[in-house]
Amino acid sequence: MAGQAPIALEGYDKSEMRSQFAALCFRMRQDKPEILLVTTRGSGRWILPKGWPMPGKTPAEAALIEAWEEAGVKGKAYDRCLGVFSYAKSLHPSHEAPCLALVYPVKVKTLLAKFPESDQRKRKWMRPKRAAKAVAEPELAQLLRNFDPRVLDKPAHSSS
């Protein structure tokens, strides 16, 4: 897997960097993974559900909450970061801040029709290659293209 591209901080102060937790929601169909993408509320671009850190919640728990709010997902979050991607977060019409999203896998058990943002977003299941082509962020596209849920059942690498 290629390395992470440098984080774009041109025109920003490092103290402006924000972090979010993203849910890579997946299911298995005919022994192949499918990834659930949602649209943004503004431009309608395809993205992963994601949101800000939450007090008292692990990153994986926060990602699972975002998956519910933005996509109607009920499932199991894995406490294993798959990678990161950077993007410019629009905070209001005249201000963007650089953001680093940490991606956590969520195995979808149920997809509900009514959820907090159901009237503001569309959602769609896609195979990893198609999902990678649908997103705008190159680092996220690489994560989606290379996603293999079988790694979730293996122990994490230890650095000893």
Side-chain angles (χ1 to χ4, degrees):
M1 183 200 272
Q4 168 74 28
I7 296 166
L9 281 171
E10 297 83 25
Y12 299 107
D13 183 283
K14 287 181 183 174
S15 66
E16 288 187 80
M17 176 61 76
R18 310 287 173 91
S19 61
Q20 288 196 314
F21 302 125
L24 193 162
C25 302
F26 72 96
R27 69 181 181 187
M28 299 302 291
R29 286 291 179 266
Q30 297 158 353
D31 291 330
K32 294 182 181 174
E34 290 184 334
I35 296 169
L36 185 68
L37 296 183
V38 298
T39 56
T40 61
R41 288 186 288 200
S43 66
R45 290 181 306 106
W46 291 108
I47 60 166
L48 294 180
K50 63 186 176 310
W52 305 110
M54 299 176 189
K57 301 291 181 194
T58 67
E61 289 168 343
L64 183 59
I65 291 168
E66 292 300 331
W68 158 246
E69 291 176 355
E70 296 183 10
V73 166
K74 292 292 186 182
K76 175 191 176 189
Y78 290 82
D79 197 20
R80 177 185 286 196
C81 184
L82 297 174
V84 299
F85 67 95
S86 57
Y87 68 102
K89 173 76 176 167
S90 179
L91 298 176
H92 52 77
S94 63
H95 184 68
E96 288 184 337
C99 216
L100 189 67
L102 288 76
V103 179
Y104 289 84
V106 172
K107 185 170 188 170
V108 177
K109 289 184 171 66
T110 308
L111 203 58
L112 299 172
K114 285 301 281 175
F115 52 95
E117 297 180 15
S118 58
D119 60 342
Q120 302 169 50
R121 298 181 189 272
K122 292 178 184 165
R123 59 190 180 182
K124 188 169 193 169
W125 287 107
M126 300 180 194
R127 295 274 191 220
K129 283 183 183 175
R130 183 162 177 229
K133 289 178 183 170
V135 298
E137 301 82 5
E139 302 146 339
L140 175 57
Q142 184 178 12
L143 279 172
L144 297 176
R145 221 178 356 263
N146 296 330
F147 176 63
D148 181 355
R150 292 173 298 187
V151 303
L152 301 175
D153 297 323
K154 295 178 183 170
H157 295 303
S158 61
S159 54
S160 38

